[in-house]
Amino acid sequence: QVQLVESGGGFVQPGGSLRLSCAASGRTSSIGAMGWFRQAPGKERESVAAVRFGDNNKFYADFVKGRFTISRDRAKNTVDLYLNNLRPEDTAVYSCSATAGRPIASTIRSRQTYEYWGQGTQVTVSS
């Protein structure tokens, strides 16, 4: 089993920055990939960014490219998401996820790939 806890959400003005952190515990050595997803009110959960552990292969959704960065810290068992140049449409609950599988690169963007999920952290972007 793997447990995930997110932190770092909050309220920020447009153009601002936040760092979200996802701390993994339990059988962390089994993790093959981790991802960040978000869900805004009335919308489907969507993939934001993901990283495959074996080769550090990364995925970014088109709407965050150049603004968000996903980073893994092996020693701390954390995966952080750096959010820059935030926009009101980035407002959502952000959740991290993990899989004990060894997914192929093209699937790390899919929520069906992940069996472990955190509770989520709220990000609100507003003036």
Side-chain angles (χ1 to χ4, degrees), residues 34-48:
M34 289 182 68
W36 281 94
F37 291 76
R38 72 185 188 184
Q39 187 167 20
K43 293 189 176 181
E44 295 273 325
R45 180 176 288 183
E46 60 184 356
S47 179
V48 176

Side-chain angles (χ1 to χ4, degrees), residues 64-120:
V64 303
K65 283 181 180 177
R67 299 190 299 127
F68 294 6
T69 302
I70 190 168
S71 177
R72 176 194 175 196
D73 187 321
R74 288 175 182 263
K76 296 180 180 178
N77 287 319
T78 59
V79 172
D80 292 347
L81 186 67
Y82 295 84
L83 293 69
N84 297 309
N85 192 20
L86 282 160
R87 305 166 180 167
E89 54 264 38
D90 294 318
T91 295
V93 175
Y94 285 70
S95 300
C96 75
S97 57
T99 178
R102 293 295 179 262
I104 60 175
S106 62
T107 65
I108 63 174
R109 70 189 67 188
S110 301
R111 58 185 176 181
Q112 292 81 2
T113 295
Y114 301 94
E115 62 268 33
Y116 302 108
W117 292 85
Q119 292 296 312

Side-chain angles (χ1 to χ4, degrees), residues 16-75:
S17 299
L18 284 173
R19 186 186 82 172
L20 307 183
S21 186
C22 178
S25 61
R27 293 189 62 188
T28 56
S29 61
S30 68
I31 297 174
M34 289 182 68
W36 281 94
F37 291 76
R38 72 185 188 184
Q39 187 167 20
K43 293 189 176 181
E44 295 273 325
R45 180 176 288 183
E46 60 184 356
S47 179
V48 176
V51 57
R52 189 168 67 166
F53 282 16
D55 58 0
N56 206 39
N57 182 282
K58 296 178 180 177
F59 161 78
Y60 291 98
D62 286 344
F63 56 79
V64 303
K65 283 181 180 177
R67 299 190 299 127
F68 294 6
T69 302
I70 190 168
S71 177
R72 176 194 175 196
D73 187 321
R74 288 175 182 263

